[in-house]
Amino acid sequence: MFGLLIAGLMMAAFIGYHYLTLSSEYRARNFIHFQATQQAIDITRSVTVFREDSLNEVRAQVSAARAEAEWCIHNLSLLERTLANSVGEGNVVSACTSGLETSGKLLEHLDQVQRELDENRSGEGPDSAYAHRLQILGELEDMRRNSGVFQPMIDEVETILHRTVLVVTFATGTAAWIVFAILMRQFVSHWQDEKRTKREFAALSSRLKLALESPGEGMGLFDRHWQLVLCNRAYAESVHPDPAFVQPGKHIGAIMKDAIQKGHYPDVDPSDADAFIADSLSTLEFEEQGVVLFTGSGRYMRVRHRKTEFGDTIVTRADVTDYVMAERRQSHYVNRLQSANAEIARTALTDALTGLPNRRHFDQILGAKSDEEIGPIIRIDLDRFKSVNDVLGHAAGDHVLRHVAGILNERLAPDCFPARIGGDEFVVLCPADMHIQDAARIAERLLAEILKPILFEGRLCQYGASFGIAAPDPDHDEPADMLRDADVALYSAKADGRGQIAIFDRAMKHDASRTRLVADALPAALAQGDLVPFFQTQHDALTGAVVGVEVLVRWNHPRFGPITPDQFLPVARQLGQEAAVDRAVFEAGLAAIARLDAAGCVLPSVSFNASTGRLLAPDFLSTLDVIDFPDPRRIAFEVLETVSVEQHGAPLIYVLDALRERGFRIEIDDFGSDHASINGLFEIAPETVKLDRALAGRAMTSERSMGTVRAIVGLAHSLDLSVVAEGVETAEHAEILRRIGCDVLQGFHFSRPMPEDELRHFLASATMASPDDRATLARLAAAPGRLSLKARTAATLRRP
């Protein structure tokens, strides 16, 4: 009966809440209906006659209002409609139905106006567009009035619902209180009987307890319901911090739970006390050795129990602290020894920064495998990693290395073995059954992931990667040979422009052998003067007269014959000999120019390539000071566009300023081949820019490309810079570059790189720039604009 009353009370509250919520929903949707109707009226009033756009806006607002009326009707079930009529919501539903009919007629009227607009018909009198607009305005105002009277209906319904819920709740609560009072009276009577019975039971237990009071382990007797019958003092002291709390008649769960709450079992969370007690009791039934509990007194107790033939349970608690502590000390020492051995092994074979296996681990894995157990090797080297370290700091470099290691861990299959074997070098050993083309596809996926930009402390890390792949070869004497093959493929990928994937083949092996021979012979070539200067002429774009030369380098190798710079300069760069090559070519070139001057072939301009290593060499400026230059303005140092002032900072600026102070000219070589910027021009402050041959060649591809080159030339001229175009192959190409505005042209159309003797014969038959032309060139090189450019550069560098 009590349950039925409670259920009735809950049902009444639920029904009242449901209909109050429904009424609130009606109120909200009526507001939307009213607002849409008002917006339609405002639109109608704002126009004289309907046009396509205003008619569509009114239709949209009427449709929105109609949707709210439809919801109020179609969202009610049959039962809800019946109950709604009983509390007065029938009028509300009728109002919604009326609003639905009104909006439907209004939409039909709007459709009629739409048809007349589509057919371009304009009636007269009552059928005119203006009359239709007034009729629709009247219908809309009727809709608004109907919407306005809807709120009072909802207020009336909510008042009825509120009163009904109060009456039902009060009646049901009163009945529940009467039933509860009757139940409480019966409960008190039962509790008094039980209390009397417990007193009698306690008297009997006290007599039996005297027999249990003896030293030794704790013992307690519990009935089939786990209520304490009797126990000795040792049990009470071990099971609860307050032995007086452990009294006969108390349930084992109540004793344990109170002890847990008071911190007697520190290993148990008080919120998990019930679960812990239940688990302990179930475990004791099947575990003969019992369970060990840690108590707040710092002692360990082994708890066991056994059933009697009467269904009672005897629980014993023995102190096993000494045994547990001895066992734990032994286990602790063993674990520490095992952890130390594992840490030593892990540290010796793992890269501390990335967590990947290190070079030693990789060599062990590679050396332990037979030829049949080894698959392809993927060699990875990060591109522009040094720039990340130099520009953003070593913390950013470490972030990049950890990011790449994460990509290897996530993207590689479990049977692949990745390792970090150097500063920015990684390697992946693939399984034996993998084909080299599958390894190439893996490398493509890894490269795509590595090329995705990452940020470090809000700054973009610009880097990439090159991949070299090698497969097992029967000619290999040992597995490490395959790693060298992958190394060769990697350097081939870097030579192809970086960010590439190369697979080792026989041609690479031949090239690698050739590269090693070149590297071995380069120091001797520098010492013996085997690097000789070659010269390519530069011509005035308007007259075709020779205005200067660029000094290039060739190597007469004793075995391979003449070698071009692209074949040995990368080797020199890897060996750190690039600055020495530049110095040797510079000194030999100056000697050749002096001989040409003595023969009467005086060149207005001589350009030397200057690498960053040469410019930043500690003895660079001092070697210039001991050379007797007849006219330093004739000498120009070409700095590659890819040299970054931001990267090399103040030392590079100091060297460039020192060269200008000594009278030398500065040129930017290969302009347009990388990421040149206006700031770069101001920082380096050159007198001349040399267009990259690829950029100059685009002038012949299309009008758009020609316009791009013209814009760059115009930019240079606006900064008072002369422009040299390289790579001029034909007369047509030369004419196009001349019209674009280039000042000087250089390329195979005029001459190929030639040694000193051929240059002397060439100049003897060529048109040389006249003395007046040379004076003009000199004035251009020392124009006031150039000084202002230098001043602007200095101001830029002084800026904080």
Side-chain angles (χ1 to χ4, degrees):
M1 183 177 177
F2 183 73
L4 291 176
L5 289 172
I6 296 298
L9 179 62
M10 293 178 63
M11 183 176 296
F14 173 76
I15 293 174
Y17 174 76
H18 173 74
Y19 278 97
L20 285 172
T21 304
L22 191 61
S23 297
S24 298
E25 181 69 25
Y26 274 9
R27 188 187 300 278
R29 293 186 178 274
N30 172 246
F31 177 76
I32 298 174
H33 181 280
F34 184 85
Q35 190 178 36
T37 304
Q38 183 61 47
Q39 290 179 357
I41 290 173
D42 293 341
I43 294 170
T44 304
R45 287 175 175 172
S46 65
V47 298
T48 305
V49 292
F50 283 114
R51 300 298 181 207
E52 184 72 24
D53 53 350
S54 58
L55 189 63
N56 288 335
E57 291 178 2
V58 171
R59 181 184 290 107
Q61 297 299 333
V62 172
S63 297
R66 178 181 174 82
E68 303 305 323
E70 285 180 342
W71 187 94
C72 293
I73 295 174
H74 300 304
N75 196 52
L76 291 179
S77 64
L78 180 60
L79 178 60
E80 288 175 331
R81 289 174 182 271
T82 303
L83 293 175
N85 291 328
S86 65
V87 296
E89 286 197 14
N91 295 333
V92 174
V93 175
S94 298
C96 292
T97 304
S98 176
L100 192 62
E101 293 173 354
T102 302
S103 59
K105 293 177 181 179
L106 183 55
L107 288 174
E108 292 176 359
H109 197 168
L110 291 171
D111 292 338
Q112 178 185 352
V113 175
Q114 179 67 51
R115 287 192 295 273
E116 292 179 357
L117 285 175
D118 295 340
E119 297 172 1
N120 199 17
R121 290 191 291 111
S122 58
E124 298 179 354
D127 295 329
S128 65
Y130 182 76
H132 281 305
R133 175 226 175 226
L134 293 178
Q135 292 171 9
I136 290 172
L137 180 60
E139 293 171 359
L140 286 171
E141 290 176 345
D142 289 340
M143 281 183 63
R144 183 180 62 181
R145 283 193 295 273
N146 292 337
S147 181
V149 300
F150 192 79
Q151 291 289 345
M153 294 181 183
I154 295 298
D155 294 340
E156 181 180 355
V157 169
E158 288 184 347
T159 301
I160 295 173
L161 286 171
H162 185 262
R163 292 173 181 173
T164 302
V165 170
L166 285 179
V167 170
V168 173
T169 303
F170 177 77
T172 307
T174 302
W177 173 253
I178 295 173
V179 174
F180 179 76
I182 296 172
L183 292 177
M184 282 298 299
R185 182 174 181 181
Q186 293 178 349
F187 175 78
V188 170
S189 176
H190 176 74
W191 176 74
Q192 291 175 345
D193 293 340
E194 184 178 3
K195 186 176 180 182
R196 183 171 54 255
T197 303
K198 286 183 177 180
R199 283 198 301 268
E200 296 173 354
F201 180 78
L204 177 62
S205 297
S206 61
R207 290 192 291 269
L208 295 176
K209 187 177 179 180
L210 294 175
L212 299 176
E213 293 298 339
S214 58
E217 65 182 21
M219 184 182 69
L221 177 63
F222 293 85
D223 63 16
R224 64 181 67 237
H225 302 296
W226 282 102
Q227 289 183 330
L228 181 63
V229 178
L230 54 88
C231 67
N232 60 10
R233 184 172 184 80
Y235 180 86
E237 291 175 348
S238 65
V239 77
H240 197 281
D242 181 11
F245 182 83
V246 184
Q247 296 295 331
K250 289 189 175 181
H251 192 274
I252 181 63
I255 298 173
M256 292 289 293
K257 188 171 184 178
D258 189 74
I260 292 172
Q261 296 292 339
K262 294 181 178 179
H264 190 61
Y265 300 98
D267 291 341
V268 183
D269 189 344
S271 61
D272 297 332
D274 293 333
F276 171 76
I277 294 169
D279 182 66
S280 298
L281 294 179
S282 62
T283 302
L284 285 173
E285 293 185 6
F286 304 101
E287 182 61 54
E288 293 183 358
Q289 297 299 321
V291 296
V292 176
L293 301 178
F294 179 66
T295 64
S297 59
R299 312 298 294 176
Y300 289 89
M301 293 290 173
R302 183 183 297 279
V303 183
R304 300 178 183 177
H305 86 291
R306 61 184 179 86
K307 293 287 186 180
T308 68
E309 57 181 331
F310 304 107
D312 297 336
T313 303
I314 298 176
V315 179
T316 59
R317 298 170 70 92
D319 191 329
V320 292
T321 303
D322 295 340
Y323 170 77
V324 171
M325 296 305 295
E327 185 179 26
R328 289 195 174 185
R329 282 193 298 270
Q330 182 179 2
S331 177
H332 174 69
Y333 294 144
V334 171
N335 290 337
R336 287 188 59 184
L337 180 60
Q338 292 176 346
S339 299
N341 291 335
E343 181 63 21
I344 292 173
R346 188 193 67 80
T347 303
L349 301 176
T350 303
D351 177 57
L353 177 62
T354 64
L356 291 176
N358 58 14
R359 179 62 181 262
R360 179 181 178 186
H361 194 182
F362 180 79
D363 290 342
Q364 287 183 1
I365 295 297
L366 192 63
K369 292 181 179 293
S370 63
D371 294 341
E372 294 77 13
E373 297 174 330
I374 295 177
I377 284 182
I378 303 174
R379 188 85 153 72
I380 307 169
D381 187 82
L382 300 186
D383 300 330
R384 301 186 299 278
F385 179 74
K386 184 177 184 300
S387 299
V388 175
N389 271 334
D390 293 343
V391 176
L392 302 181
H394 289 282
D398 293 345
H399 176 69
V400 168
L401 293 175
R402 285 191 292 267
H403 176 72
V404 174
I407 292 175
L408 296 180
N409 284 326
E410 294 174 4
R411 299 297 177 180
L412 291 176
D415 51 357
C416 292
F417 184 80
R420 181 191 177 200
I421 61 174
D424 60 346
E425 301 174 8
F426 299 83
V427 67
V428 178
L429 179 61
C430 300
D433 58 350
M434 180 178 290
H435 193 271
I436 193 167
Q437 298 302 328
D438 296 327
R441 283 189 285 272
I442 291 175
E444 290 174 358
R445 292 196 296 269
L446 293 176
L447 178 58
E449 287 295 323
I450 290 174
L451 291 179
K452 292 180 179 178
I454 64 171
L455 295 176
F456 176 75
E457 295 181 351
R459 301 180 68 183
L460 186 64
C461 296
Q462 297 280 4
Y463 75 101
S466 299
F467 289 70
I469 306 174
D473 191 329
D475 296 337
H476 288 159
D477 296 330
E478 55 186 20
D481 293 339
M482 186 169 61
L483 185 60
R484 285 194 291 271
D485 292 347
D487 229 6
V488 172
L490 174 64
Y491 285 114
S492 175
K494 285 185 173 292
D496 289 342
R498 302 178 182 270
Q500 305 291 325
I501 298 172
I503 299 178
F504 180 80
D505 55 22
R506 293 294 178 184
M508 289 184 187
K509 190 171 185 178
H510 178 267
D511 292 342
S513 176
R514 179 187 174 97
T515 300
R516 282 195 295 271
L517 292 175
V518 169
D520 293 340
L522 182 59
L526 288 170
Q528 298 169 7
D530 292 339
L531 300 182
V532 296
F534 269 51
F535 306 87
Q536 188 173 30
T537 57
Q538 297 173 335
H539 297 257
D540 185 273
L542 296 176
T543 66
V546 177
V547 296
V549 294
E550 179 182 3
V551 182
L552 306 172
V553 61
R554 294 293 186 270
W555 179 5
N556 291 322
H557 195 278
R559 177 174 176 181
F560 303 121
I563 301 178
T564 56
D566 60 326
Q567 295 177 308
F568 67 85
L569 282 183
V571 178
R573 192 174 297 114
Q574 293 176 11
L575 296 176
Q577 296 291 323
E578 188 177 22
V581 171
D582 283 355
R583 178 173 180 175
V585 175
F586 181 71
E587 293 174 352
L590 287 179
I593 295 301
R595 289 190 291 270
L596 290 172
D597 288 349
C601 300
V602 179
L603 292 163
S605 174
V606 182
S607 299
F608 291 92
N609 290 302
S611 64
T612 308
R614 173 68 172 144
L615 292 174
L616 298 181
D619 62 342
F620 174 57
L621 294 176
S622 60
T623 57
L624 298 180
D625 292 336
V626 299
I627 298 175
D628 184 19
F629 294 98
D631 184 4
R633 293 301 302 172
R634 294 173 60 195
I635 307 299
F637 289 95
E638 294 185 1
V639 181
L640 286 175
E641 182 215 36
T642 53
V643 173
S644 171
V645 175
E646 179 183 356
Q647 178 179 350
H648 299 289
L652 180 60
I653 295 297
Y654 172 78
V655 171
L656 296 178
D657 286 344
L659 289 175
R660 275 187 286 266
E661 290 173 359
R662 286 166 171 79
F664 299 105
R665 292 180 290 112
I666 306 298
E667 298 179 353
I668 291 184
D669 195 13
D670 291 344
F671 187 77
S673 64
D674 202 72
H675 50 280
S677 65
I678 302 300
N679 288 334
L681 291 176
F682 277 96
E683 290 168 341
I684 296 178
E687 282 81 3
T688 303
V689 294
K690 297 185 69 175
L691 297 183
D692 178 63
R693 63 180 62 250
L695 179 62
R698 289 189 186 134
M700 298 187 63
T701 59
S702 66
E703 287 294 333
R704 182 176 182 181
S705 298
M706 185 185 301
T708 302
V709 178
R710 183 181 290 110
I712 294 176
V713 172
L715 171 64
H717 286 164
S718 69
L719 296 175
D720 202 15
L721 307 178
S722 60
V723 179
V724 179
E726 294 183 298
V728 182
E729 306 290 340
T730 64
E732 180 187 4
H733 193 189
E735 177 61 21
I736 290 174
L737 292 172
R738 182 192 66 76
R739 290 201 308 267
I740 287 176
C742 294
D743 302 297
V744 178
L745 304 179
Q746 175 184 344
F748 288 173
H749 172 63
F750 300 100
S751 67
R752 291 181 176 272
M754 63 190 83
E756 179 185 345
D757 293 340
E758 292 184 18
L759 177 63
R760 184 181 297 110
H761 293 301
F762 183 91
L763 295 178
S765 59
T767 302
M768 296 287 291
S770 65
D772 293 338
D773 294 334
R774 296 178 190 175
T776 301
L777 291 173
R779 285 196 302 273
L780 179 62
R786 189 82 62 232
L787 297 177
S788 63
L789 179 61
K790 180 178 179 181
R792 290 195 299 272
T793 302
T796 302
L797 295 174
R798 287 195 299 271
R799 188 170 58 231

